[in-house]
Amino acid sequence: MAKRLSEKQIAAIELLSRPKMDGKTYAQIAEEVGISERQLRNWRNDDYFNDQLKRKIVANTIDRLPEVMQAVPDIIINEGNAAMLRTLLQAHGMLTEKLEVDNKGNNDADTSAIKAEIERMRKAKAETKDS
């Protein structure tokens, strides 16, 4: 069964999703919604509530994304912001996370098997030449 938000949770998300929470504190938002500040903080610790808050923030800002992406190259060039360059390249799929693999297992058995196979092939080659 899908989890649902109460009307008070929806109202809290609306207020929390505004830029800088419209200058309000958690206590002020809680009072406006009609709950305790403790209840609001409990909701902020709930994964489902936070997922819905993030969705609301994205919905509120999606229309401005083209402006943001257009401003990024100027920030990179004018401020020499390497972190912003990395973000831009990732957004365009031109940079991926580096993945390192560290094999900490015992490779002695593998190395011995490879050496044995090389020796077997040398002997086979030598026998072929002698034939």
Side-chain angles (χ1 to χ4, degrees):
M1 183 171 155
K3 197 171 182 180
R4 292 185 178 252
L5 297 172
S6 70
E7 287 183 27
K8 289 183 178 188
Q9 286 175 313
I10 292 168
I13 285 173
E14 180 62 39
L15 295 170
L16 291 168
S17 69
R18 294 180 182 166
K20 298 183 183 180
M21 299 186 312
D22 281 344
K24 296 178 182 175
T25 65
Y26 270 30
Q28 291 168 323
I29 290 172
E31 183 178 342
E32 189 171 329
V33 172
I35 60 170
S36 69
E37 183 178 356
R38 182 182 183 122
Q39 181 62 56
L40 181 59
R41 292 191 183 280
N42 286 341
W43 288 347
R44 291 292 288 134
N45 289 323
D46 178 80
D47 290 339
Y48 183 74
F49 182 88
N50 286 319
D51 287 344
Q52 297 310 307
L53 175 57
K54 288 175 194 171
R55 291 180 75 160
K56 181 65 176 166
I57 292 168
V58 168
N60 290 350
T61 60
I62 197 78
D63 292 341
R64 305 261 344 249
L65 188 57
E67 292 173 60
V68 171
M69 292 304 288
Q70 186 176 9
V72 169
D74 290 333
I75 294 169
I76 294 167
I77 293 166
N78 296 334
E79 297 177 16
N81 190 326
M84 190 66 78
L85 174 60
R86 176 186 168 102
T87 300
L88 181 66
L89 292 174
Q90 286 175 326
H92 289 291
M94 299 170 70
L95 182 66
T96 58
E97 291 297 320
K98 182 178 176 183
L99 179 63
E100 292 186 28
V101 177
D102 185 12
N103 184 356
K104 294 184 179 181
N106 184 353
N107 292 328
D108 290 342
D110 291 341
T111 304
S112 297
I114 292 170
K115 287 179 180 177
E117 181 65 15
I118 291 170
E119 188 58 33
R120 186 195 63 76
M121 292 171 80
R122 283 184 182 149
K123 287 180 182 177
K125 185 177 180 181
E127 288 174 2
T128 305
K129 282 185 179 178
D130 292 341
S131 304

